[in-house]
Amino acid sequence: MIQTPAPELDPTSDVAQLTARLIDIGSVSGNEKAVADAVEEALRGLDQLEVVRDGDCVLARTTLGRGERVILAGHLDTVPLPTTPGARGTVPSTWEGETLYGRGATDMKGGVAVQLALAATLTAPSRDITFIFYDHEEVEASLSGLGRVAASRPDWLAADFAVLLEPTDGTVEGGCNGTARFDVRVAGKASHSARAWMGVNAIHGAAEILGRLRDHEPATVHVDGLDYRESLNAVRITGGTAGNVIPDSTVIEVNYRFAPDKTPDDAEAYVRALLEGFDVERTDAAAGARPGLQHPAAAAFVAAVGADPKPKYGWTDVARFSALGIPAVNFGPGDALLAHTDDEHVHADAIRACLAALLTWLA
Amino acid sequence: MIQTPAPELDPTSDVAQLTARLIDIGSVSGNEKAVADAVEEALRGLDQLEVVRDGDCVLARTTLGRGERVILAGHLDTVPLPTTPGARGTVPSTWEGETLYGRGATDMKGGVAVQLALAATLTAPSRDITFIFYDHEEVEASLSGLGRVAASRPDWLAADFAVLLEPTDGTVEGGCNGTARFDVRVAGKASHSARAWMGVNAIHGAAEILGRLRDHEPATVHVDGLDYRESLNAVRITGGTAGNVIPDSTVIEVNYRFAPDKTPDDAEAYVRALLEGFDVERTDAAAGARPGLQHPAAAAFVAAVGADPKPKYGWTDVARFSALGIPAVNFGPGDALLAHTDDEHVHADAIRACLAALLTWLA
């Protein structure tokens, strides 16, 4: 076994250069140890912080007795490296002028770099701060390091407000839609396709379901001042066994992204009503998060950052904070649409601007 | 390499016992050599026959100068053995009373046994007879031994009428429907399923296609005195790539079983008209066969066998004879619905009755 010494991270260096260093320590989900070691090492050198290591989570906080505590959270892991030859969203990082390419450039080594820079710079912040660097965000929810810490160290997740530094292109995205998945099954009866009248075609039986989904007009729901646009879609369909057999089964996977005024049970009831008469099974669900922008801590954050808040459509870990009663927003550098792509990149100024905005709020 | 000596076949033994012997020489497509050897050996012992071996085809004919020549044809291969533990449609065969279980019991070692029994019994038939035992029927058409012989030895396929001993449960099934397959493609545009409005859902786009197929009423077409019932069905559907992505592609495989008044091009035009506005690609087609029951040789056969002819819905090799201008019917022992099943079986009396009917016609 070869021990790779963790490269040093200097949290006082330029935050864009720091992002590049973080990318260079590859950390595909399940392989966060090296980057967690480097982050821990960087934080241990800062006198104002209490630091705890929990698996590949690194937790750090000030304890200055301020009247308010905020969480700044980001995940350390990335999706796998691209397999396309020549793809630049990989490890190590590369620069093209002021644009930084690499796996995690947007999702979310830039945000993690901002967390580290804030931790090093804010020796006497206006609010107490808890920094959370966590593992296993890009994989199944049950592995989430944030979920693990929330369960095992609830005192570390006590706060008035949380900022998740997921990429939002510098805007504030409040809360998030929930997501639920359903399998809708159509049963038929197999027969030879030359004697179709002896069978029942389960693919033809899916026509009505697809028609209802096609004709459904997704709602836009106003929640706490933001408009959450919903999506309700068939995302996968499979049916049939052979070219000469009348299909006896079709399964349609439906994904409903629902506004945070609904619980997963509400979402299920909605889909069941839409697809009444069909066999609907819920296979997965995660609640959304209300933006909570009316909370004083949130309002102060929005005012300091100076950007009009928008709704977050994709599910993020803000929902975990919301479930704990902590209002939370997404605010981070980079374009979320570049996340997970072969071409993942971020502009150095976007990272620096994010850092500057948060310094304004917390200094 | 172990040489398995070909078991001896006695074509003068009881035709049901002969079927069991043929089953016991397993002959999954591509492995017909042993059974072809045994059939050839049995035929070489018969003075009235000219015998030729062509790959794993065995051809034999009388040359008595009769005014009419008929072909009796059957394939030597079977589909693979069942994988279900305890399935009886396997090798070796087993008897349960007078019912014979085994792979090929219906499709079509019973028919092959009848061919062999006729070859041995009819030393002076009323019509000249060409016996064709061929390989590779249960696999892709390009491998067909019958197709190979038709191309390389056309003189062996010269005849006034052909009987294919595929299982018809003792009835005469005239001609056959044709079959054609199509891929119908719907293109969309991928996007994250939380921002569905940025994409175009290719599964929803398939609703209209499935609706048209569901609402389509297949025709029944009168051809040469028989009613051919058509079938037009989606047999497979696949679409979508992941649970959080708006699908950018859906493919529906459609199988059209069309009456023998239509060519494959007619069938394609019909499907294109039904699915107008969609991307339809023909992937496969085989012409049907008109029953040709008005031909004198066919009429004489039907009269001798004494059964009301019915249409054949599934495609069979009668279509190859039809393409050569030879009227052809299916007539053989066993229930076609048991073909390829784990429970494949045939009653001994069904095999004996088929032999008796053909002896009446040819003696």
Side-chain angles (χ1 to χ4, degrees), chain B:
Chain B
M1 197 172 163
I2 297 167
Q3 288 281 344
T4 308
E8 282 192 351
L9 295 173
D10 177 1
T12 65
S13 62
D14 170 66
V15 71
Q17 294 295 340
L18 184 58
T19 302
R21 298 295 305 122
L22 282 159
I23 293 171
D24 294 344
I25 310 171
S27 56
V28 174
S29 306
N31 295 281
E32 296 94 336
K33 183 177 184 302
V35 75
D37 287 349
V39 166
E40 183 184 359
E41 183 186 26
L43 296 172
R44 294 263 183 219
L46 300 170
D47 290 342
Q48 71 274 22
L49 295 177
E50 176 189 356
V51 179
V52 162
R53 175 75 175 251
D54 183 307
D56 286 332
C57 275
V58 186
L59 311 170
R61 64 183 169 195
T62 62
T63 48
L64 301 167
R66 302 289 194 242
E68 203 172 68
R69 172 172 295 279
V70 298
I71 289 173
L72 300 179
H75 62 84
L76 294 172
D77 59 324
T78 69
V79 294
L81 304 191
T83 54
T84 312
R88 293 184 294 182
T90 191
V91 173
S93 61
T94 48
W95 286 98
E96 186 174 310
E98 283 286 288
T99 302
L100 176 63
Y101 287 84
R103 178 55 84 224
T106 55
D107 190 11
M108 53 172 285
K109 296 288 173 81
V112 169
V114 169
Q115 289 177 271
L116 283 176
L118 290 169
T121 310
L122 292 165
T123 50
S126 59
R127 295 160 173 85
D128 269 314
I129 307 176
T130 302
F131 296 95
I132 304 180
F133 302 85
Y134 62 100
D135 57 292
H136 286 97
E137 192 269 352
E138 299 287 6
V139 287
E140 57 181 286
S142 64
L143 297 175
S144 163
L146 184 58
R148 185 181 71 243
V149 167
S152 65
R153 300 177 185 269
D155 59 307
W156 277 86
L157 271 84
D160 300 289
F161 182 58
V163 177
L164 186 63
L165 285 92
E166 289 272 4
T168 60
D169 234 356
T171 67
V172 176
E173 294 188 346
C176 68
N177 274 336
T179 179
R181 288 194 180 78
F182 306 87
D183 279 347
V184 189
R185 293 172 190 279
V186 183
K189 184 183 163 204
S191 74
H192 197 288
S193 65
R195 291 177 290 271
W197 55 90
M198 299 184 68
V200 177
N201 192 314
I203 295 177
H204 296 188
E208 173 67 20
I209 297 169
L210 299 191
R212 288 191 205 171
L213 291 170
R214 175 196 60 197
D215 298 339
H216 174 262
E217 305 234 350
T220 296
V221 184
H222 198 74
V223 182
D224 296 352
L226 296 180
D227 286 325
Y228 288 86
R229 192 165 172 182
E230 296 191 337
S231 295
L232 176 53
N233 283 271
V235 288
R236 270 192 282 233
I237 187 168
T238 178
T241 54
N244 61 352
V245 177
I246 297 301
D248 65 354
S249 169
T250 300
V251 183
I252 301 165
E253 185 182 357
V254 171
N255 183 211
Y256 181 25
R257 303 288 180 145
F258 53 94
D261 66 322
K262 294 183 186 69
T263 66
D265 286 348
D266 294 338
E268 178 175 343
Y270 186 86
V271 170
R272 285 189 182 281
L274 178 69
L275 300 181
E276 195 182 345
F278 293 96
D279 173 14
V280 174
E281 181 195 4
R282 188 169 107 190
T283 57
D284 184 32
R290 300 179 72 102
L293 295 174
Q294 73 282 18
H295 288 76
F301 168 76
V302 170
V305 166
D308 266 353
K310 296 180 180 173
K312 183 75 173 175
Y313 297 122
W315 190 91
T316 75
D317 271 323
V318 295
R320 292 186 190 273
F321 294 111
S322 180
L324 295 168
I326 306 169
V329 297
N330 304 276
F331 178 71
D335 180 352
L337 296 181
L338 294 171
H340 306 191
T341 68
D342 285 1
D343 200 41
E344 188 171 356
H345 62 265
V346 66
H347 197 281
D349 285 344
I351 310 171
R352 294 175 190 137
C354 177
L355 174 59
L358 290 169
L359 278 174
T360 301
W361 176 47
L362 294 167

Side-chain angles (χ1 to χ4, degrees), chain A residues 68 127 160-161 292-303 327 361:
Chain A
E68 202 171 68
R127 296 158 172 88
D160 301 288
F161 181 57
L293 294 174
Q294 74 280 17
H295 288 76
F301 168 77
V302 170
W361 175 47

